[in-house]
Amino acid sequence: MEQFREIAPEPIELPDIDFAKYSLIVGQHVFGEPRYSLESQAVETGTDALTLNLVYSEFCGIAPAMVAPYYFWSIYDKLPEYEVNVNITTF
């Protein structure tokens, strides 16, 4: 919880999470334009790594030409402490 609180910007109030029972995955991905919406995310467990699968849909129409950071996070039942690989799919 201390590490979680260190990275969360103020004034966000964080829930109490029992990290003995749950795992938290937090990350950021940068798209070249701000017109995506996160549709789904799921974790696959392998023998020595985890794969976080993120699926984004693209809004139709014109978007400003700018770099757009997207943040993602989720709480899962306790996962093994493996390296996390991220797989991003857009449609």
Side-chain angles (χ1 to χ4, degrees):
M1 278 306 295
E2 289 176 27
Q3 291 173 332
F4 188 27
R5 285 189 177 98
E6 286 176 12
I7 63 169
E10 293 291 332
I12 294 175
E13 291 186 34
L14 301 173
D16 286 328
I17 299 170
D18 182 350
F19 286 108
K21 295 180 182 177
Y22 299 100
S23 295
L24 171 68
I25 297 178
V26 178
Q28 173 188 4
H29 178 74
V30 176
F31 284 109
E33 51 191 48
R35 61 179 184 181
Y36 291 92
S37 175
L38 181 64
E39 295 295 321
S40 67
Q41 64 186 53
V43 171
E44 292 178 21
T45 57
T47 56
D48 59 353
L50 302 173
T51 301
L52 177 62
N53 294 299
L54 302 173
V55 178
Y56 288 89
S57 64
E58 184 176 0
F59 297 121
C60 295
I62 299 173
M66 61 185 272
V67 174
Y70 284 74
Y71 298 91
F72 54 86
W73 68 275
S74 192
I75 297 172
Y76 298 92
D77 288 335
K78 190 66 178 172
L79 296 167
E81 293 187 23
Y82 295 152
E83 175 182 334
V84 178
N85 299 310
V86 179
N87 180 31
I88 296 176
T89 303
T90 59
F91 67 93

